[in-house]
């Protein structure tokens, strides 16, 4: 990979639906992409598609379950690449099994590690390094699920809510260094993972449209993108409802189990 590319973009979770769409959205001459994920075949196929669009692309298959290892790998990659834009997309969702009152405790631990611990630590690495060289942009992918105490997806809702608070705090901390932090909170996206979510999926976005909106928010250095906008209204509604009413509503929303 040559170092004189105009844009040097890092994407975690590039082997998934949204990460892939973000990579293809940016793929053009003058752009270099570092694509991380777990599935090597999907990463290689994506890199080929990005090269066909004129971008430079390299891949790394690395599980992010070991946060210390992820930090070290990102430090190493950024030292050579000097990213100016990073999307932290990798994440997992889960809901409780039919008949259970909560998720498996190990799933709770895993979701908090993959959706909160790893991206928060990795964003911190990037903010420090970008700040030391004068600026950059970091995008964290949250979820509209963060706005609600979902009783059937406690760990997912909590991990994304934690990530949202982290993103807001890091945004304030990193701004004097010229580093912009954007949190994207999408509703439903039509990816393989999105399709596994039980129940109805109102206002579902294609991965391409979600990627376009998220990239636009990042280019404007927007603090928080909620998309579609109706999910911002649902957040206000959740906050305004008296707690017993809200609890009853959230219980009723639970997918069949
Ligand atoms: N789809 C939706 O409706 C929706 C809505 C709101 C927010 N989001 C968020 O958007 C992001 C992308 O979701 P998606 O729908 O594109 O899901 P996806 O298709 O399942 O992609 C998830 C990506 O994360 C990677 N990943 C998962 N666990 C990992 C781990 N332990 N270590 C390293 N990489 C890991 C996957 O790698 P491999 O595929 O190679 O295993 C894949 O690249 C997630 O953070 C998700 O929470 C999605």
């Amino acid at each position: 990979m040559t170092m004189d590319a105009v844009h040097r973009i890092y994407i975690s979770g590039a082997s998934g639906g949204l990460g892939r769409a973000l990579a293809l959205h940016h793929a053009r001459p003058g752009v270099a992409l570092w694509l991380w994920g777990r599935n090597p075949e999907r990463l290689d196929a994506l890199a080929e598609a990005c090269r066909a669009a004129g971008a430079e692309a390299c891949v790394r298959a690395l599980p992010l379950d070991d946060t210390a290892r992820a930090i070290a790998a990102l430090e190493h990659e950024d030292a050579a690449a000097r990213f100016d834009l990073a999307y932290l997309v990798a994440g997992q969702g889960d809901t409780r099994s039919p008949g259970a009152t909560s998720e498996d405790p190990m799933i709770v631990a895993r979701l908090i590690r993959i959706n909160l611990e790893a991206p928060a630590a990795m964003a911190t690495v990037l903010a420090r390094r970008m700040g030391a060289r004068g600026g950059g942009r970091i995008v964290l992918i949250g979820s509209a699920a963060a706005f609600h105490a979902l009783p059937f997806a406690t760990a997912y809702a909590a991990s994304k809510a934690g990530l949202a608070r982290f993103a807001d705090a890091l945004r304030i901390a990193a701004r004097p260094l010229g580093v912009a932090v954007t949190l994207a909170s999408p509703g439903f996206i039509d990816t393989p993972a999105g399709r596994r979510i039980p129940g109805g999926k109102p206002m579902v976005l294609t991965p391409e449209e979600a990627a376009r909106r998220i990239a636009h928010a990042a280019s404007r250095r927007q603090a928080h993108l909620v998309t579609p906008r109706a999910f911002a209204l649902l957040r206000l509604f959740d906050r305004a409802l008296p707690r017993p009413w809200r609890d009853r509503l959230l219980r009723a929303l639970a997918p069949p189990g």
Side-chain angles (χ1 to χ4, degrees):
M1 178 92 50
T2 57
M3 300 315 317
D4 55 356
V6 176
H7 293 299
R8 297 174 298 274
I9 304 175
Y10 168 85
I11 304 176
S12 79
S15 46
L18 178 60
R20 178 180 189 278
L22 281 164
L24 292 172
H25 175 87
H26 283 287
R28 65 180 70 95
V31 170
L33 294 156
W34 280 258
L35 307 169
W36 282 24
R38 288 185 303 185
N39 183 296
E41 290 80 25
R42 282 205 302 274
L43 286 173
D44 285 341
L46 175 62
E48 270 313 302
C50 292
R51 288 182 197 117
E56 297 180 51
C58 66
V59 304
R60 182 187 282 229
L62 179 73
L64 301 176
D65 305 68
D66 179 339
T67 307
R69 196 168 159 226
I71 289 172
L74 188 58
E75 296 259 11
H76 186 259
E77 198 94 297
D78 182 72
R82 300 166 63 85
F83 303 123
D84 46 36
L85 171 60
Y87 292 99
L88 297 170
V89 182
Q92 294 182 9
D94 218 319
T95 55
R96 70 181 177 212
S97 308
T101 47
S102 62
E103 299 107 301
D104 180 277
M106 290 312 292
I107 292 179
V108 172
R110 176 159 48 82
L111 259 58
I112 288 171
R113 193 165 62 248
I114 303 304
N115 292 353
L116 174 56
E117 181 182 305
M122 291 167 73
T124 304
V125 167
L126 291 163
R128 285 183 173 185
R129 299 187 63 91
M130 287 174 171
R133 50 180 186 261
R137 282 172 292 154
I138 300 169
V139 182
L140 290 148
I141 306 299
S143 169
F147 307 153
H148 311 285
L150 300 176
F152 50 90
T154 56
Y156 185 71
S159 63
K160 294 293 188 178
L163 190 68
R165 181 52 63 102
F166 171 82
D168 203 22
L170 184 68
R171 179 182 60 78
I172 298 166
R175 192 170 174 185
L177 306 174
V179 178
V181 177
T182 294
L183 170 71
S185 300
F188 297 105
I189 310 172
D190 188 24
T191 62
R195 270 172 243 134
R196 281 197 297 274
I197 303 168
K201 294 170 207 49
M203 295 171 286
V204 65
L205 296 172
T206 64
E208 293 74 23
E209 180 58 17
R212 193 190 64 74
R213 294 182 189 191
I214 291 167
H216 180 65
S219 72
R220 296 177 56 229
R221 297 178 169 250
Q222 189 173 327
H224 189 190
L225 169 75
V226 182
T227 188
R229 292 285 304 157
F231 286 92
L233 293 177
L234 281 176
R235 176 171 56 160
L236 291 177
F237 182 63
D238 182 304
R239 284 180 180 167
L241 274 182
R243 190 179 291 255
W245 296 12
R246 188 206 60 160
D247 291 2
R248 219 172 303 143
L249 196 64
L250 287 170
R251 238 179 258 119
L253 276 182

